[in-house]
Structure formats: structure tokens, C-alpha cells
Amino acid sequence: MALRILFKKPCFPIPSHYGSTVPLRQFKTFSLPELPYDYGALEPAINGEIMQLHHQKHHQAYVTNFNNALELLDQALAKGDASSTVQLQSAIKFNGGGHINHSIFWKNLAPVNEGGGEPPKGPLGLAVEEHFGSLEELIKKMNVQGAALQGSGWVWLALDKETKTLSVETTANQDPLVTKGASLVPLLGIDVWEHAYYLQILPVD
Amino acid sequence: MAMASQLLLLPNLRFHSNSQSAPRVISNPICRPLKLSKFQKRYKQSLRDSRVLAFYGRKTPPYKLDALEPYMSQRTLEVHWGKHHQEYVDGLNKQLENSPLYGHTLEELVKVTYNNGNPMPEFNNAAQLWNHDFFWESMQPDGGKSPWGGVLQQIEKDFGSLEKFRDEFVEAALSLFGSGWVWLVLKTKEKKFAVMKTSNAVNPLVGGEIPIIGLDMWEHAYYLDYKDDREKYVMTFLNHLVSWHTVALRMIRAEAFVNLGEPKIPVA
């Protein structure tokens, strides 16, 4: 069973200086979500070792660093420190984005016996056919875009809420999909960071 | 100086074969008429149906692939050098087949394709090709330990102490978001050492600095050996892999471009 690792900071008020009237904000910390399946449940497509490392090490690191960055942000805001507030944005975007993206990623995957890998039916299937021609075309397009991505990033199947269209987008590093367009909703995300697949890399020959 | 020139000053311009003999003329692999510029047409006419194309090649690490065990496994080198580095070569050669970018040395190509911050599609392959050549040479079996002599003097002058340099290097490596590289560079204007981190394929050449050490922080460089433990990888690199001999040679070459002043020779 996937271990649930809770990372809740104790939310007690820090004793403020005598006479201070500034209220101290308390924010909700984020925690690592549990996987809805075992680490080994996605074999042979993704092996258990990758899933465990990806979830327990990488995603956990994003969550921890996200919480730390938010705490520092809280302190900077309380002090009115503008430059620290801005400086922390990249850490928040990176770690927060990592947490959001991976949370979506775990939900996107499912073991074969729970429907993983089956073609989409219903409105999604029709939309895929309308926008891409066929599922194979969509897969090909996502493959091409994923392979062409330089460095680390994500490939998304995105739904544009305004225009009601599907599209394939890529984002760099851990940028969430909204950085590509405020009305984009991620339907499917593929992690093309090397840590997501490197341990299963094929031999050279 | 002669040794330095052997290692570094030869441009990475090779013909499309691994043979040691004179470049052989290869026939045009694309058997359809190409749209050629006037210069190319004139050149082509002098060579009938075949033309000599200068492609780029990758350098072989100056040690056997298992020589860096146990700090960097043979498997990592096989995949990193054999697969990834080769992919950059193949990708670049393919991109340059019908391209006006012709006749540059690899270093020049990197700077040209960087295009002052608006990189061309060839930049990624060209820069990664150069970066990896630099990376293999930055390491050696039985490496690490401490620099000595002029290099140590310069490090102590610019960082305060060797420990401070190591801390700064590790901190730069760990604070890198995403894929990238960490470098020890000699800054040409400030005339001093500095630690630099770059994203994806960018390297110090594009900024006009002289790279002295390069460390690959892309996940493919360490994932097989260290999984997600980046700190251990960087510490191992500094303690056991980095080649201070190569650093010294690169410094000798760099001093031809940057005047670092008189060395402090202790008076007896």
C-alpha cells in the first residue's frame, strides 16, 4: 500500500511582541496526496521503483519546498518586504507547480485492470475525434511535442474554456498549464522530466 | 602551452567518418536536386555529383567508460555518451544538412545559433554537443581532491577559500530549477573566477566568459547512479571526479585571453 506521508505543520500562533497589534496569518500547508493505486500497479508500463521515487521523493520534495517557500512568503508579507516577496515567486512557481502538476498526473494514470490505457469514450472521445481526427493522431501529436521539448517540462491535453477547443500544449520545467493561457484546463498531463522514465530507459543497442 | 593547444585549440571540425586518414568525399545522400546558393553552385560544379560536407562529431571521453567507477557508472557513461551525446551529434548534422550555417567551428556555431538570446533551433544540439565534450574532459579517473599552485591561488583570491568555492558551487547546483549546467568560469571583464549556473543548453561561451569546469545537472547525468540525490552527485563530482589537471590547462589557455596579472611568487 502506498504510504501516506502527512506533512502538516503545527498551526499554533507564534507569541507576538507585547503590544503588537499585527495579526499573524496562518495558512494551510499542503501535503502529499495518496496514490489511488499501488506503486507496482502500473507495471510493465511504469515500474514500481520509478513510481515510488517519483511519488515519495520528487513529489514530496516539491510539497516540502512549496510549504517552506510559502512560509517565507508569509513572513516577507508580514514584514512588508517587497523584494523578498518577488524573489520567492520563482520558488513558489516551481515547487507549487510541481505539486499541482504531479497531483494531476497521479489521477491521470490508472492500472490496466481499472481502465488504464482504454480509448476515451463519450464526449471526450468525440471531442478528440473532432479536434485531432483520431486518437492515434492525438497520440502522435503529443509524442512529437514531448520529444521536441528541450530540457524538462510537461505535455498537456488542454481544454480551452472560452473557445471550447482541445489542444496540445507544452510547458517548461514545472510551469502549470495556466501559464500558457488563463482559460486552459488540463485534461491530461505527461511528465517528460527525465526522472519520470529514466530508470526504464532502453539499452543503447 | 603546446599541451594546451593540443587539447583545446583545435576546432571541433571533423569529417563524417571516424577514419583517421584524409577526409573522404561522400556522395550527396539526398538524391534530388537541391536549391543551392550561387556560391554553393559554383562549388558543386567543381565536384561533379558529390560534395565534401563538414559535419561535427563528438569527442570520446579521455578514459575508458568504466574508469570513473564507482562514482559514475559505466552504464551511465554508455547511455549518456553513447546515446544522448550521439543524439545531439546526429540531430545537429541533420539540421545542418540544408542550412546556410556552414563552415563554423563548433564554438562559433554555438555563439551564432544563440542569436543573442533568441536561439535558433540548431542551438540546443550545438550547445549540448559542446557542453558534453567539455564535461567529459572536466572529469578524470582518480580526480577530485584539491587543486594546487596557480589554480588554488586564483580560487583563494576570488572566493576567499577553497571551501567557500565548493559551497558556492554546490549551492548553485542545488538551486537550479529544471535542467541545466553549473560552471566555474573565468569572467573576461572582471578578470576573476565565478560560479555560474545556466538553464538547459546555455553555456558561458554565449556571454563571452571562459568556462573552466562544467557539471551536467540534467537528470540524465545522475539519475541512474544517484536517483534524486543531487547533493551527493555534486559532492562526488567535486571530491572524486573533477580533473584539476584539465582545469590548470584551461587556465593556461585562458591567460592568453585575460590578463590576470603577475603571479605571486613567494620570495625565499
Side-chain angles (χ1 to χ4, degrees):
Chain A
M1 270 302 281
L3 292 170
R4 175 190 240 159
I5 301 164
L6 279 175
F7 233 87
K8 292 248 188 309
K9 278 180 74 79
C11 288
F12 49 81
I14 303 156
S16 54
H17 201 266
Y18 180 75
S20 161
T21 51
V22 175
L24 282 161
R25 243 170 307 183
Q26 280 149 26
F27 57 89
K28 190 171 182 297
T29 53
F30 295 91
S31 59
L32 187 70
E34 222 180 275
L35 289 187
Y37 37 77
D38 285 347
Y39 285 133
L42 302 178
E43 303 249 7
I46 306 180
N47 72 18
E49 196 189 357
I50 290 184
M51 289 302 289
Q52 186 173 5
L53 276 169
H54 206 171
H55 183 246
Q56 280 183 358
K57 291 274 161 69
H58 291 279
H59 194 174
Q60 181 62 69
Y62 291 129
V63 169
T64 313
N65 293 333
F66 188 34
N67 287 331
N68 290 342
L70 286 175
E71 189 191 332
L72 289 172
L73 179 69
D74 205 48
Q75 289 170 6
L77 286 170
K79 277 191 279 186
D81 185 350
S83 68
S84 294
T85 305
V86 174
Q87 203 182 3
L88 285 165
Q89 296 309 311
S90 65
I92 290 174
K93 183 177 173 196
F94 181 70
N95 293 301
H99 171 55
I100 294 169
N101 293 341
H102 284 87
S103 304
I104 298 172
F105 188 53
W106 307 133
K107 292 209 197 97
N108 279 151
L109 302 170
V112 174
N113 58 17
E114 284 174 35
E118 280 175 22
K121 306 179 191 63
L124 180 59
L126 292 171
V128 164
E129 278 187 20
E130 186 192 327
H131 289 100
F132 301 103
S134 68
L135 181 63
E136 283 73 34
E137 277 300 306
L138 170 62
I139 292 177
K140 207 160 71 162
K141 194 158 183 202
M142 287 188 96
N143 274 337
V144 161
Q145 296 231 8
L149 194 126
Q150 286 164 12
S152 312
W154 288 73
V155 189
W156 303 97
L157 175 63
L159 168 68
D160 190 327
K161 281 190 289 193
E162 310 276 312
T163 61
K164 304 266 188 293
T165 51
L166 291 180
S167 57
V168 173
E169 304 281 347
T170 55
T171 52
N173 292 347
Q174 293 293 357
D175 297 351
L177 185 58
V178 291
T179 57
K180 270 280 167 95
S183 58
L184 290 176
V185 172
L187 298 178
L188 172 68
I190 304 179
D191 189 354
V192 284
W193 278 64
E194 285 163 334
H195 65 232
Y197 58 85
Y198 210 68
L199 293 179
Q200 270 182 277
I201 201 163
L202 296 166
V204 178
D205 45 5
Chain B
M1 199 55 200
M3 227 203 315
S5 68
Q6 220 174 345
L7 251 192
L8 299 154
L9 293 181
L10 285 173
N12 187 10
L13 192 71
R14 267 166 245 214
F15 292 98
H16 184 57
S17 76
N18 289 324
S19 65
Q20 305 299 323
S21 54
R24 52 161 210 217
V25 167
I26 57 168
S27 56
N28 193 339
I30 305 165
C31 297
R32 56 175 164 75
L34 292 170
K35 290 226 165 62
L36 298 172
S37 72
K38 223 199 284 181
F39 166 79
Q40 281 175 309
K41 276 200 192 107
R42 242 183 289 146
Y43 190 64
K44 186 176 190 284
Q45 270 155 24
S46 66
L47 282 173
R48 301 191 63 127
D49 269 356
S50 47
R51 56 182 175 150
V52 175
L53 289 172
F55 286 107
Y56 300 92
R58 60 181 179 164
K59 287 190 189 156
T60 312
Y63 35 77
K64 290 220 186 76
L65 293 185
D66 61 356
L68 298 180
E69 297 263 13
Y71 309 112
M72 192 174 272
S73 63
Q74 181 179 2
R75 180 91 180 105
T76 299
L77 276 166
E78 276 172 6
V79 181
H80 198 176
W81 176 72
K83 185 166 180 292
H84 292 290
H85 201 177
Q86 186 59 50
E87 274 170 2
Y88 295 129
V89 172
D90 296 336
L92 182 63
N93 287 334
K94 194 151 187 297
Q95 279 172 322
L96 292 179
E97 250 169 28
N98 290 318
S99 156
L101 291 167
Y102 180 83
H104 294 292
T105 62
L106 190 58
E107 278 199 25
E108 280 175 12
L109 186 67
V110 169
K111 289 184 217 179
V112 162
T113 49
Y114 185 64
N115 205 10
N116 285 316
N118 200 3
M120 302 181 199
E122 293 86 352
F123 175 72
N124 191 57
N125 284 326
Q128 281 292 76
L129 178 52
W130 188 92
N131 293 342
H132 283 87
D133 283 346
F134 195 80
F135 182 46
W136 307 133
E137 286 174 352
S138 299
M139 296 192 288
Q140 66 169 76
D142 200 28
K145 303 186 195 80
S146 267
W148 71 99
V151 174
L152 184 60
Q153 254 184 24
Q154 192 68 35
I155 287 182
E156 283 176 346
K157 180 160 158 252
D158 295 329
F159 290 102
S161 70
L162 186 60
E163 288 312 313
K164 287 222 189 87
F165 155 65
R166 288 162 60 95
D167 288 340
E168 214 178 300
F169 196 83
V170 172
E171 210 250 305
L174 297 180
S175 63
L176 189 63
F177 288 151
S179 305
W181 292 74
V182 189
W183 310 87
L184 173 66
V185 298
L186 180 64
K187 290 187 102 67
T188 36
K189 289 208 177 60
E190 290 95 323
K191 301 198 198 339
K192 54 195 297 218
F193 270 162
V195 168
M196 198 168 146
K197 59 182 185 191
T198 56
S199 284
N200 293 353
V202 180
N203 61 36
L205 292 175
V206 304
E209 318 290 9
I210 302 178
I212 303 286
I213 301 178
L215 174 58
D216 192 352
M217 290 305 294
W218 283 57
E219 282 176 329
H220 63 232
Y222 60 85
Y223 212 74
L224 290 176
D225 295 331
Y226 299 97
K227 309 282 183 317
D228 70 311
D229 200 345
R230 287 156 71 103
E231 189 172 356
K232 190 157 167 228
Y233 166 61
V234 185
M235 296 302 297
T236 308
F237 175 79
L238 286 173
N239 290 332
H240 299 287
L241 284 173
V242 66
S243 168
W244 291 113
H245 297 282
T246 313
V247 170
L249 287 169
R250 287 171 180 163
M251 274 300 286
I252 293 170
R253 177 180 179 267
E255 285 185 38
F257 298 90
V258 177
N259 184 0
L260 289 172
E262 294 293 323
K264 282 199 188 59
I265 302 169
V267 180

